[in-house]
């Protein structure tokens, strides 16, 4: 069977059709995505704390769903957010507030960053989940995410990227100076066309395509 790769715009169109034509709420797609990542991470094996690093878009929302499901399964989860609560809107905001109400350990940095605080959590982490930037991101990650990405790459724990590694361009597969080096990437519906680029695998690691319930 031939693998079909999708572009940034095609990925957006898949979501749009699922929501607007088929009537599947976006929050349901996010739930399916996040739960699928949690299931896959559990299959890979979790032997200690999972550090989940979130930005402010739907990629972050997926990360919040991962945090909830792992927490409910008895794993130690630590969530870090580089956005203010007021920036977390829509489906991502819904899942952020759920994590808040569940009192899952969460540090909200807003537009700032404390390398010392993050480093303390990374020392004994079994996994780091990258939910910083999604397929819509282009160009170099902006501060403080550039330094956050470098700090995560320097940590010993393996990284799992949600949809694609932060800093990697969805369409071209070109890596920014600051790009997550993932051991595994859980991407949704279909692999992204940029994953075919030379050297992209250095950043994606092993790619796993997850179904989120979007009709064919």
């Amino acid at each position: 069977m031939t693998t079909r790769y999708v572009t940034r715009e095609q990925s957006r169109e898949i979501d749009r059709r699922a929501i607007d034509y088929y009537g599947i709420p976006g929050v349901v797609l996010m739930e399916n995505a996040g739960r699928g990542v949690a299931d896959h991470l559990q299959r890979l094996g979790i032997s200690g704390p999972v550090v989940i690093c979130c930005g402010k878009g739907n990629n972050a929302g997926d990360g919040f769903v991962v945090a909830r499901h792992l927490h409910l399964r008895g794993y130690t989860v630590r969530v870090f957010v580089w956005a203010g609560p007021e920036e977390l809107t829509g489906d991502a905001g819904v899942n952020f507030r759920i994590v808040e109400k569940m009192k899952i350990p969460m540090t909200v940095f807003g537009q700032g960053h404390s390398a010392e605080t993050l480093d303390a959590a990374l020392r004994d982490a079994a996994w780091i989940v990258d939910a910083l930037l999604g397929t819509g991101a282009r160009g170099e990650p902006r501060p403080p995410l550039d330094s956050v990405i470098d700090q995560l790459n320097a940590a010993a724990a393996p990284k799992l990227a949600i949809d694609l590694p932060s800093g990697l361009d969805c369409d071209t597969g070109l890596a920014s100076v600051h790009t997550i080096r993932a051991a595994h990437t859980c991407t949704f519906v279909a692999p992204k066309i940029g994953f075919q680029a030379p050297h992209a695998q250095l950043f994606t690691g092993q790619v796993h395509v997850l179904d989120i319930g979007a009709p064919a």
Side-chain angles (χ1 to χ4, degrees):
M1 182 176 175
T2 303
T3 300
R4 180 177 180 180
Y5 292 82
V6 298
T7 65
R8 177 183 288 113
E9 289 305 319
Q10 288 170 333
S11 185
R12 287 174 177 163
E13 180 64 10
I14 289 167
D15 285 348
R16 188 196 67 77
R17 289 189 188 185
I19 295 167
D20 294 344
Y21 181 77
Y22 289 100
I24 303 174
V27 74
V28 171
L29 298 175
M30 184 173 287
E31 178 72 15
N32 292 344
R35 184 167 189 163
V37 172
D39 290 345
H40 194 80
L41 193 55
Q42 191 171 22
R43 286 194 292 271
L44 289 171
I46 302 172
S47 59
V50 178
V51 174
I52 301 177
C53 300
C54 301
K56 65 179 180 180
N58 284 342
N59 202 247
D62 297 336
F64 298 137
V65 176
V66 174
R68 169 161 47 87
H69 282 286
L70 292 182
H71 175 78
L72 290 171
R73 297 173 195 184
Y75 295 106
T76 300
V77 176
R78 300 163 183 163
V79 181
F80 293 88
V81 187
W82 285 270
E86 71 284 352
E87 296 178 277
L88 294 161
T89 58
D91 301 330
V94 168
N95 283 293
F96 170 75
R97 289 188 291 274
I98 293 171
V99 169
E100 269 192 318
K101 290 176 181 177
M102 289 178 67
K103 301 190 185 306
I104 297 172
M106 180 165 60
T107 300
V108 179
F109 288 115
Q111 299 303 315
H113 178 52
S114 168
E116 295 77 14
T117 300
L118 180 59
D119 187 57
L122 294 175
R123 286 186 197 123
D124 65 344
W127 283 96
I128 298 166
V129 175
D130 166 28
L132 293 170
L133 297 169
T135 56
R138 302 171 189 257
E140 289 291 338
R142 298 175 182 175
L145 294 187
D146 52 356
S147 59
V148 170
I149 288 170
D150 290 347
Q151 189 174 355
L152 297 180
N153 281 336
K159 272 65 75 177
L160 183 146
I162 295 182
D163 217 10
L164 84 169
S166 295
L168 190 74
D169 189 277
C170 174
D171 284 351
T172 67
L174 294 176
S176 303
V177 173
H178 310 279
T179 300
I180 288 288
R181 289 182 176 269
H184 297 269
T185 295
C186 287
T187 199
F188 306 127
V189 181
K192 307 309 178 270
I193 197 165
F195 293 176
Q196 299 178 96
H199 309 303
Q201 192 175 0
L202 294 174
F203 301 92
T204 63
Q206 188 173 354
V207 175
H208 313 274
V209 179
L210 304 187
D211 173 24
I212 62 171

